Structures are given as structure tokens and as C-alpha cells.
Amino acid sequence: MPDIKLRNQPFDLAFHPNESVLFSTLLTGEAKAWRYDDEDGSTSTSWSVRPSKRTARALSVEESGKHIWMGGKSGTLFQLTTEMGTIVREQEKAHDVPINRVFCVNENLVASGDDDGIIKLWDPRKPDMIREYNQHFDYISDFTYFEDKRQLVSTSGDGHLSVTDIRSNKSQPLTVSADQEDELLSIVQIKGGQKAIVGSGLGILSIWNRKLGWGDSVDRIPGHPASIDAIVALTPDIIATGSEDGMIRVIQVLPHKFLGVIATHEEYPIERIKLDRNSKWLGSVSHDECLKLTDVSDLFEDSDDEEDNDEEMEKDDSDEEEQNEGENDNDDDYEEAEADSDSDEEMEVERQDKKKKKKGKGGLGDLGRGGQEQENADFFADL
């Protein structure tokens, strides 16, 4: 598992949309870039710059891959080239307080959110911001964008989720959700954009159905022992979560099933996780001053093989049971029938035990470190 050791704490990371390049921002105000091998994940430093002497918290890459946008404690917004890290724009005092999240909506729109809950939209072609929103009163934690409805969704530490139509010239959101009575820390789209899932400070995943509106969540998945600070979709139905306890968990959503822990940063809180363009490498940054790359491509191959084996096992058990029943019907000998009946009972008990073991594997239960270590060691041995 390739790790990049850093001299200072990283806060955010992003993958280039078209090339094997990885970016990260650090506590020292630096932005760094590495090239990595698509096959084995080996890395080499590409460039390093320090646009600010204050903490660089947020990072996002444009759709075209030509520039990255960076924000942090100074409140200044920077635009840098991805090729060399050259600063091409410096928006001083873009926010009056530290910038906590930056998000490239499309090639002509960038969103930034600060510690006071202010959201600003920027057009790279224009010198000043184009709109400002103040529906939140605490820090902006994450963004996601639904292209079909041109809706920018934001989560906040104030416990609310808000939806903004980027086509509107009004500085008012379309809707603001009910108070979730918990910090909303991360959001990602699932089920092909039909739903969204949000991570919270109490370790609860809430599911939101777009067809039913953004007023409130429709389902909740408890189980994480600590806050869920980062989420990424591995497939339309499977997500990876980065938690305060330093563990990266994989969970299937609808139906809900805990699949295991695929990586850990010891006991250091995880700040961000991202998936590369080939859905092979999962990048994660934590307080342990390490940028970790985890290969997730084999995870789903192993999972599919196991499901196929389980189905074949059930089919074999069913065939044997039907064969034994046929023999009992044609046998007039009481003793042989009784023996076959005993055999059937033993087989049924064995089959039920197998089903119980399978059911035990699927429950979420307590996703804490102690309860899953042995199971994960067996299930993810190949990783």
C-alpha cells in the first residue's frame, strides 16, 4: 500500500481528472503535486509551491484539469496551474474568515464556503464574485453538484443542508432542510444521482431522496463509533467513509451491509478521501502526516467471487435435499427411511448454520475497531 510521508499535516487532496497526478494542501500553506503509477501506485514528486504562509485547508481541480483552486485560513482564494503550480490568480480577502471548502462546479463556476457559513460563487473569467449566500450560520463542510437540475448542495456544521440553483440570479437558496440536530460533515451522490448520503458528527449516515425533496432525510444508518468526516462513492451502491477514529470503512447502501475496513491511519482522524479517475486508487489524508493510496480494484472482484460461491453452495445444498426427499418417497423400508430422515435433519441444521453465518456477515452492528478486526483480516486478506 503506497504511502507518501509528509513533513506537515495535509488537509485536503484531489486527483487530476485526466492524468495520473495527485494534489494535496498542507498546514504550512503549501500545495504539492505527485505523479503516480496506475498499476503499483508508486509516486514521484512533481512540484511544490507555497502561495500562503497560513494553513491551506481546501483544494479542488477544474473539470478540464488545467487549474486547481485553493483556499485556507488567510481567506484568500488562489488559482494555480496543474502542470507547474504557477499562481495565475490571487483573490485577496475573498472571504473575511478562513475558507473551509472549495468546489469546482464546472469550467465557468467555482464555489467557496467559509467558517461563518458564507458561500460565494466565482467565475474564473470575472475579477469579482458573482453571488453570495448566507443561509448557513456555521462552517461549510462539503459540496456536491447535480448537473441535471443545476443544483449545488451544501452541508454545514449548523445541522442544515441547503440547495442552490446556480442558474438563478437571486442570492437565496431553493430550499434549506430541517435541522438535523447534528453537524453535517460530508456528502456524496449514490444510486446514479437519485439519492445522496450525508455523514454526521455523531457517526450516522443519513440518506436523502431527491424525488421526495430536501426537507429531511428518508433513512439513517447508525454504526460508526465516531464522526464521518469524509465520504466517497466507489460504485453507485457502495461507499467508503473516513472517520475520526482513523478507519476507512466500506458500506453497501440499500440494502445496508457493512463490508469491512480497507485502510487505517492508526488512531488519527481522517480529513478527506478521494477516488482517482480509474476507480482504482483511493487517496486519504489524516493527522498522521501521511497521504495514503489504497488499491480498491480487487475489493469488488473478491466480493463478487464470494457471492457466486455462496450461491453455488446454496444450490448444491438444495439439490442434495431434493434428491434425498425423492429417495425417501420411493423407499418402503422404515429403518432406511428413518435413517434418511435423520440425515435430512442433520443436513438442514448444517444448511441453517451456513445461512446464519452469512447473515452475521451482513449486519452493520457496531462498526468499531475491536468488533471487526478478525472478520476484516479474513475477508480482506488479499488486500
Side-chain angles (χ1 to χ4, degrees):
M1 183 179 300
D3 293 345
I4 301 175
K5 299 297 183 181
L6 304 170
R7 295 182 178 179
N8 294 280
Q9 178 186 330
F11 276 87
D12 204 351
L13 81 158
F15 285 94
H16 196 287
N18 307 314
E19 301 176 14
S20 301
V21 181
L22 174 64
F23 309 95
S24 182
T25 52
L26 279 66
L27 175 69
T28 54
E30 294 175 278
K32 290 180 176 290
W34 299 266
R35 290 195 171 272
Y36 64 93
D37 187 276
D38 286 329
E39 296 300 323
D40 61 19
S42 58
T43 60
S44 61
T45 302
S46 180
W47 52 260
S48 177
V49 297
R50 191 182 184 187
S52 174
K53 293 183 179 181
R54 308 188 72 180
T55 304
R57 295 184 183 176
L59 176 69
S60 185
V61 185
E62 294 178 353
E63 280 184 339
S64 63
K66 293 181 179 180
H67 301 95
I68 61 173
W69 290 75
M70 186 187 89
K73 194 170 183 179
S74 66
T76 301
L77 196 61
F78 297 93
Q79 183 185 23
L80 296 79
T81 63
T82 56
E83 184 177 1
M84 297 295 295
T86 305
I87 300 174
V88 295
R89 176 172 178 172
E90 182 176 350
Q91 193 74 36
E92 293 188 6
K93 294 299 179 182
H95 289 258
D96 295 331
V97 297
I99 298 173
N100 196 58
R101 192 65 61 216
V102 176
F103 183 75
C104 291
V105 180
N106 55 45
E107 61 181 359
N108 295 321
L109 192 66
V110 177
S112 58
D114 65 27
D115 281 358
D116 284 348
I118 301 298
I119 298 173
K120 294 185 178 183
L121 299 184
W122 308 84
D123 187 335
R125 300 165 298 182
K126 299 180 180 179
D128 299 317
M129 73 170 182
I130 55 177
R131 279 190 299 281
E132 178 179 326
Y133 301 88
N134 58 4
Q135 64 266 23
H136 294 289
F137 57 85
D138 207 342
Y139 64 92
I140 302 299
S141 57
D142 209 356
F143 290 107
T144 191
Y145 176 63
F146 292 91
E147 176 68 31
D148 57 344
K149 297 291 185 180
R150 306 293 193 273
Q151 293 178 348
L152 178 67
V153 182
S154 58
T155 55
S156 172
D158 62 11
H160 295 84
L161 175 151
S162 69
V163 183
T164 303
D165 188 342
I166 65 170
R167 297 169 296 185
S168 174
N169 291 324
K170 298 179 180 179
S171 295
Q172 296 293 330
L174 282 177
T175 183
V176 178
S177 74
D179 188 357
Q180 302 301 297
E181 299 180 354
D182 190 7
E183 293 178 311
L184 303 184
L185 304 178
S186 49
I187 183 171
V188 73
Q189 301 178 32
I190 57 173
K191 301 293 182 180
Q194 298 178 14
K195 295 178 174 64
I197 190 162
V198 177
S200 74
L202 295 179
I204 296 175
L205 291 166
S206 58
I207 300 174
W208 302 70
N209 190 331
R210 294 180 63 194
K211 292 182 179 179
L212 300 179
W214 295 98
D216 206 348
S217 60
V218 297
D219 195 6
R220 292 190 174 191
I221 308 175
H224 285 74
S227 64
I228 305 168
D229 299 302
I231 307 178
V232 70
L234 302 180
T235 73
D237 306 310
I238 298 176
I239 63 171
T241 62
S243 185
E244 187 182 11
D245 64 357
M247 303 178 76
I248 299 177
R249 299 170 173 84
V250 178
I251 298 172
Q252 177 179 304
V253 181
L254 297 172
H256 309 327
K257 183 179 181 181
F258 173 57
L259 301 180
V261 176
I262 58 171
T264 177
H265 284 262
E266 301 300 334
E267 297 181 354
Y268 295 94
I270 293 174
E271 287 286 344
R272 297 286 280 177
I273 56 176
K274 293 288 181 67
L275 191 65
D276 79 338
R277 70 191 192 287
N278 296 322
S279 299
K280 176 179 175 65
W281 294 105
L282 179 70
S284 57
V285 292
S286 175
H287 292 197
D288 59 357
E289 299 182 358
C290 175
L291 193 159
K292 187 184 295 289
L293 292 177
T294 304
D295 188 351
V296 296
S297 60
D298 294 337
L299 171 64
F300 306 109
E301 295 176 5
D302 293 342
S303 179
D304 291 341
D305 291 341
E306 184 172 279
E307 289 179 1
D308 293 340
N309 291 336
D310 289 342
E311 290 177 0
E312 291 178 2
M313 187 179 298
E314 284 188 350
K315 184 177 180 180
D316 292 341
D317 290 343
S318 178
D319 292 342
E320 290 179 10
E321 185 177 356
E322 290 178 359
Q323 182 177 358
N324 290 333
E325 288 178 355
E327 291 176 357
N328 288 338
D329 291 340
N330 297 327
D331 196 345
D332 295 331
D333 191 331
Y334 174 79
E335 292 181 357
E336 291 183 2
E338 185 177 24
D340 288 340
S341 177
D342 292 341
S343 178
D344 288 344
E345 290 178 3
E346 292 175 359
M347 188 175 297
E348 178 67 19
V349 170
E350 183 179 355
R351 189 164 65 89
Q352 293 295 335
D353 288 341
K354 290 178 181 177
K355 286 187 176 181
K356 288 180 181 178
K357 290 179 180 179
K358 287 174 62 184
K359 289 181 179 179
K361 188 189 299 181
L364 285 180
D366 181 9
L367 307 190
R369 185 182 301 269
Q372 294 296 334
E373 285 183 348
Q374 183 59 41
E375 183 178 351
N376 294 333
D378 298 334
F379 188 75
F380 293 95
D382 292 339
L383 294 181

